[in-house]
Amino acid sequence: MSKIIITAAVVGAEVTRKDTPYLPITPDEIAEEAYRCWQAGASIVHIHARDEQGNATQDRQVYKKIIDKIKERCDIIVQVSTGGAVGMTPAERIQPVELAPEMATLSTGTVNFGEGIFINALGDIQFFAQRMQQIGVRPEFEIFDAGMINNAMQLVRGGWVTGHLHFDLVLGVPGGLPATARNLSFLVDSLPPVATWTVAGIGRFQLPMALMAVAMGGHVRVGFEDNIYYSKGILATSNAQLVERIARIAQEAGRELATPAEARQILQIVSSK
Ligand code: KMH
Ligand code: ZN
């Protein structure tokens, strides 16, 4: 079986300190959490930024602080969010891409997102994709529902995205595709054969979806952005704890962990910064 890439989504935009006291918020805290996840076996860290009040921000300077502090500590691949939080404008959301990180997320469709609507109009998706292509940032397609794979392939056919294709199948968002084995299998079957994929199960579906990905040869995403619990009613005390568990299980199942350098090869990220 191929090596497995673990992505740690350490903060997100929605979780608050009221939900979990263990949420990293400041650049130092987020960088330290990324480092601990790297030590535990993660090779990608998916980051969002927070302002001093703990609210989601796409401010380029805050992202810069986080990225610089991560790079001081380890060689984990930094993947910035272009999703930001519901209600942000495309101009706000694109900011961290301008820092030329190795990767960024690219959501390819609009979806109900709990009480809100996560809006991704076609023109905006093309704008994000174009800027990533100009700057040399590898996109990870964020797929919240089946039609978003078609939208991603439309971007590929239109030349907005070139090179290796990598998908994050986000299952279990209220308003998106539910996290079931059948849905995961259906999405994976809908991808082009050359693509790589990871799965992000939301809430209590994080672990079962990750287990399926381990068995199916996919990659996994864990972390507080998607789930704050270690088990029913018991908060995880760090993102690293969630990484450690899936790293241990994956290795037991014969999936060696990809180092960041190996993940760069698998995802064909050319420039190692
Ligand atoms: N916070 C969500 C509305 C991404 O990072 O690209 C969008 C999100 C996706 O988190
Ligand atoms: Zn995110």
Side-chain angles (χ1 to χ4, degrees):
M1 283 270 242
S2 59
K3 293 197 175 183
I4 190 165
I5 299 169
I6 301 176
T7 298
V10 294
V11 55
E14 290 81 23
V15 177
T16 69
R17 277 269 166 87
K18 284 199 181 116
D19 300 318
T20 174
Y22 305 110
L23 184 73
I25 284 181
T26 66
D28 273 312
E29 289 168 351
I30 294 170
E32 192 57 27
E33 198 78 348
Y35 175 61
R36 291 175 65 192
C37 289
W38 171 79
Q39 285 180 312
S43 45
I44 301 177
V45 63
H46 169 67
I47 56 169
H48 287 246
R50 300 294 180 105
D51 65 18
E52 282 168 10
Q53 285 70 48
N55 298 316
T57 176
Q58 288 293 98
D59 187 292
R60 179 180 165 155
Q61 293 314 324
V62 184
Y63 270 93
K64 181 166 173 17
K65 278 188 197 157
I66 298 168
I67 294 170
D68 288 348
K69 286 173 187 291
I70 293 172
K71 290 194 177 307
E72 279 166 19
R73 288 167 166 85
C74 61
D75 70 341
I76 196 166
I77 298 167
V78 175
Q79 178 194 80
V80 301
S81 171
T82 65
V86 162
M88 289 179 173
T89 64
E92 264 181 290
R93 287 167 52 183
I94 196 70
Q95 291 178 75
V97 169
E98 305 296 333
L99 298 167
E102 286 183 275
M103 291 185 84
T105 52
L106 179 60
S107 294
T108 51
T110 296
V111 64
N112 281 12
F113 202 90
E115 301 295 310
I117 308 173
F118 181 37
I119 297 178
N120 292 290
L122 187 59
D124 295 336
I125 302 168
Q126 289 171 343
F127 161 68
F128 291 133
Q130 185 177 47
R131 205 66 199 115
M132 288 184 208
Q133 199 175 53
Q134 285 164 345
I135 298 174
V137 179
R138 290 307 310 158
E140 175 184 270
F141 294 118
E142 305 300 301
I143 304 300
F144 296 82
D145 216 332
M148 294 188 190
I149 295 177
N150 297 350
N151 293 346
M153 294 316 296
Q154 205 177 317
L155 289 177
V156 173
R157 283 193 296 275
W160 302 95
V161 174
T162 52
H164 179 71
L165 304 178
H166 181 60
F167 292 79
D168 180 24
L169 309 173
V170 186
L171 293 177
V173 167
L177 199 62
T180 65
R182 193 170 69 147
N183 285 342
L184 177 60
S185 167
F186 164 60
L187 290 187
V188 171
D189 282 350
S190 307
L191 298 176
V194 291
T196 50
W197 60 273
T198 189
V199 70
I202 303 301
R204 68 181 188 278
F205 299 107
Q206 182 165 87
L207 183 59
M209 286 293 118
L211 296 177
M212 281 178 226
V214 168
M216 291 167 72
H219 305 285
V220 301
R221 173 170 127 169
V222 294
F224 289 166
E225 174 162 349
D226 306 328
N227 163 52
I228 58 175
Y229 291 100
Y230 190 78
S231 55
K232 190 169 182 199
I234 311 287
L235 290 171
T237 54
S238 69
N239 281 281
Q241 200 188 15
L242 297 169
V243 172
E244 267 161 25
R245 173 169 59 186
I246 200 63
R248 187 177 66 241
I249 293 170
Q251 290 174 100
E252 285 283 330
R255 301 284 308 274
E256 281 179 52
L257 307 183
T259 63
E262 289 165 341
R264 287 182 177 97
Q265 278 179 358
I266 294 167
L267 302 176
Q268 298 175 29
I269 297 173
V270 183
S271 59
S272 162
K273 295 168 199 159

